[in-house]
Amino acid sequence: DGDPPDDARGFVAHLLGKRAPGLPQLRFAVLGLGDSSYPQFCAIGRQLDARFAELGATRALERGDADLDLETIADPWLTQALDAAKKELKNQPRGSVVPLRPSLAQLVPPTCAREHPFAAEVLVNQRITARDSSRDIRHLELSLENSGLHYEPGDALGVWPRNPAPLVDAVLDTLALNGDTVVDHAARSLPLRTWLGEHRELTRLSRPFLASLAALARSDDLDRLLSPDNAVDFARLIAEQQVIDVLHAFPAAWSAEDFVAALRPLAPRLYSIASSRKLVGDEAHLTVAHVAYETAGGPRWGAASHFLASSDEGGRLPVFIERNERFRLPTNPARDIVMIGPGTGVAPFRGFVQERSAVGANGRNWLLFGNPHSRSDFLYQLEWQHALKHGALHRLDLAFSRDDSKKIYVQDRLREHGRELYAWLDNGAHLYVCGATAMGKGVHAALIDAIAEHAGKSAEDADDFLDTLQQQGRYARDVY
């Protein structure tokens, strides 16, 4: 959303700052990885590409901007980049090229598990919010027995979803297309219904699809929405509409082949794992917010959340492990940890507390959790109370935003308890944040306020303090 990844913040800030050096000897190429459903698509890649040139470096290859189906752009771009590098190396003086260590290849995660997922049995699918809650939050327990899959607290479970059958039917009816029509695309021949159900995004819009729709529908209104000058309206469209909505709003005559080609490939969804293998064995637990709502045009769903929430116990789901080395418990079990996880962002911290309890860690555990209502939305309430009673959790601060006339969020609790928070951090505690991107920004601002007030720092110095924690591996965020 226009911000660099956390582990690149220092690098980007330095390169864009006044202390960045001239780089006349550098030849460079930038490949941006992004998601075109966000208005700031590949913004950091564009900034870096422009900044290197400003600093005198020479562009060896034009910038690439890769969407979620990144292979489409990334694979040919990487081939060109390697060819350009080979040409450069031929001109280097003998002995000036340092080969990469073979062990570097081991840092690249394997993709076989992602492309060949394990069919995990659903052991439990339980709603953990009250029936009168406006939110349907599910706790799922999946069996990984005989899968060969292993995870650590902080890792995510990747799930390959399927689009809801009623949504596929609605799209076919809207376009007056036959779902049995066989479509040849990307070296595959499948019925259109299969393409739409299992291989194409229907619940998320992308800029390339909207551009194709605008051209086919000859819509000036849609062209204006796609203009860089209308970023706010575009963001609202992406956030509030699905493919079926824009097909109704901007009618066009699609062929089955063109429609499949225009849609973005269906991508797996990643869910923070809410368990520790040391406690649950060959299982992975998830905390999933079921996205399902009514609109004037009919029901709408989130592809993965509905796929998971509607899964029957005993059924099987295609899953894989996505490692997250940036979101790990401290190696020293005596270190304190502060966990900030409102809503389903609390998921990884359930695994953290289980893990710390299982290994007998003697560091303190502080959890800050928030949701709308305490009576209906207090996720894992009995578990947290049990953990407090038996010393697995040392402090629990809650923020239920709709229980009083004044809305209270975890950010407010951070400011209220800023003195204790800074004391924990000053004494070596690790800090973790998990949840929505907007929440992550609000929490970061609250952390700056609390540190500035109780450490006697300026806001800029407080931000630098957090940057230092991040560089030390003591401030980790998993925001989405």
Side-chain angles (χ1 to χ4, degrees):
D1 198 23
D3 295 320
D6 278 356
D7 55 356
R9 285 180 60 201
F11 167 70
V12 172
H14 174 68
L15 197 68
L16 299 181
K18 295 181 180 179
R19 293 188 176 89
L23 300 170
Q25 304 303 316
L26 179 69
R27 289 179 63 78
F28 74 94
V30 175
L31 173 64
L33 307 181
D35 178 348
S36 63
S37 64
Y38 286 84
Q40 300 295 325
F41 175 55
C42 286
I44 295 300
R46 293 197 300 272
Q47 287 185 35
L48 293 180
D49 184 73
R51 183 57 169 163
F52 279 129
E54 288 177 1
L55 295 173
T58 302
R59 189 177 287 105
L61 187 67
E62 289 301 311
R63 187 190 75 248
D65 294 338
D67 208 341
L68 290 185
D69 53 330
L70 61 91
E71 293 86 357
T72 305
I73 297 295
D75 285 354
W77 188 94
L78 288 168
T79 298
Q80 294 179 55
L82 288 171
D83 288 343
K86 289 175 184 177
K87 293 177 182 178
E88 285 294 316
L89 292 176
K90 288 180 180 178
N91 299 324
Q92 296 293 326
R94 186 177 181 84
S96 67
V97 178
V98 180
L100 295 175
R101 292 175 294 174
S103 59
L104 188 64
Q106 300 170 7
L107 299 177
V108 181
T111 59
C112 58
R114 182 181 188 272
E115 299 305 325
H116 303 284
F118 173 71
E121 181 182 0
V122 180
L123 303 175
V124 173
N125 182 352
Q126 176 185 6
R127 178 169 174 149
I128 56 174
T129 47
R131 291 294 174 188
D132 59 349
S133 172
S134 61
R135 302 184 178 195
D136 178 9
I137 309 296
R138 300 300 180 100
H139 172 78
L140 285 93
E141 299 181 3
L142 308 179
S143 172
L144 301 182
E145 187 175 2
N146 300 320
S147 68
L149 297 177
H150 303 280
Y151 66 86
E152 299 293 332
D155 288 341
L157 193 74
V159 178
W160 284 99
R162 297 188 185 97
N163 287 310
L167 179 59
V168 173
D169 290 339
V171 170
L172 291 171
D173 290 344
T174 300
L175 298 180
L177 293 174
N178 186 340
D180 296 327
T181 301
V182 175
V183 176
D184 296 325
H185 180 73
R188 303 179 76 176
S189 295
L190 298 169
L192 178 58
R193 185 181 302 279
T194 304
W195 277 113
L196 300 185
E198 302 177 20
H199 301 286
R200 284 296 179 266
E201 290 282 3
L202 294 182
T203 61
R204 290 181 175 179
L205 290 170
S206 67
R207 185 178 288 273
F209 172 76
L210 290 172
S212 297
L213 177 59
L216 195 62
R218 298 181 180 179
S219 170
D220 293 337
D221 290 339
L222 195 48
D223 281 334
R224 280 192 291 272
L225 279 170
L226 290 165
S227 168
D229 297 332
N230 286 315
V232 174
D233 291 337
F234 176 77
R236 185 181 301 113
L237 173 71
I238 291 290
E240 298 176 356
Q241 304 287 308
Q242 295 189 357
V243 169
I244 186 69
D245 299 309
V246 296
L247 292 179
H248 284 305
F250 306 100
W254 289 92
S255 69
E257 292 77 10
D258 289 344
F259 189 57
V260 168
L263 290 169
R264 191 165 69 183
L266 188 62
R269 306 315 199 244
L270 302 180
Y271 291 90
S272 298
I273 297 176
S275 55
S276 163
R277 293 181 68 244
K278 291 183 175 63
L279 181 68
V280 305
D282 288 334
E283 297 180 10
H285 298 179
L286 302 180
T287 311
V288 178
H290 183 200
V291 177
Y293 55 96
E294 291 289 334
T295 72
R300 300 290 182 264
W301 302 272
S305 70
H306 185 70
F307 179 56
L308 291 169
S310 58
S311 298
D312 294 327
E313 294 179 0
R316 292 187 175 271
L317 302 173
V319 304
F320 61 93
I321 300 297
E322 183 83 2
R323 296 185 63 79
N324 187 355
E325 300 294 345
R326 304 182 186 94
F327 208 75
R328 287 282 186 261
L329 283 166
T331 55
N332 182 353
R335 287 292 183 98
D336 297 334
I337 62 172
V338 180
M339 303 165 285
I340 305 167
T344 56
V346 79
F349 305 135
R350 182 174 182 265
F352 277 21
V353 172
Q354 289 181 358
E355 180 86 1
R356 298 262 284 184
S357 179
V359 302
N362 55 352
R364 296 174 297 171
N365 305 322
W366 179 0
L367 174 66
L368 294 100
F369 171 75
N371 236 353
H373 299 286
S374 60
R375 191 186 65 80
S376 58
D377 304 315
F378 193 168
L379 307 184
Y380 302 113
Q381 178 180 0
L382 295 180
E383 291 189 27
W384 299 131
Q385 291 172 340
H386 182 272
L388 275 172
K389 181 178 180 180
H390 292 87
L393 191 62
H394 300 82
R395 178 164 181 167
L396 175 64
D397 283 287
L398 304 169
F400 294 107
S401 58
R402 302 299 191 274
D403 278 354
D404 297 304
S405 57
K406 180 182 179 182
K407 295 180 180 179
I408 301 294
Y409 299 99
V410 289
Q411 298 94 304
D412 301 304
R413 297 299 185 217
L414 288 171
R415 292 184 173 94
E416 286 177 18
H417 305 301
R419 184 179 302 279
E420 297 96 320
L421 173 67
Y422 178 70
W424 279 51
L425 297 177
D426 196 40
N427 287 321
H430 287 230
L431 177 63
Y432 302 90
V433 180
C434 183
T437 300
M439 178 279 305
K441 292 181 178 180
V443 164
H444 189 81
L447 291 170
I448 290 175
D449 291 345
I451 292 167
E453 178 180 356
H454 298 287
K457 298 177 181 291
S458 66
E460 183 178 7
D461 288 341
D463 197 25
D464 289 342
F465 177 81
L466 288 175
D467 282 343
T468 300
L469 292 187
Q470 189 273 325
Q471 293 163 17
Q472 294 172 348
R474 291 177 49 209
Y475 176 30
R477 303 196 303 171
D478 186 4
V479 294
Y480 42 84

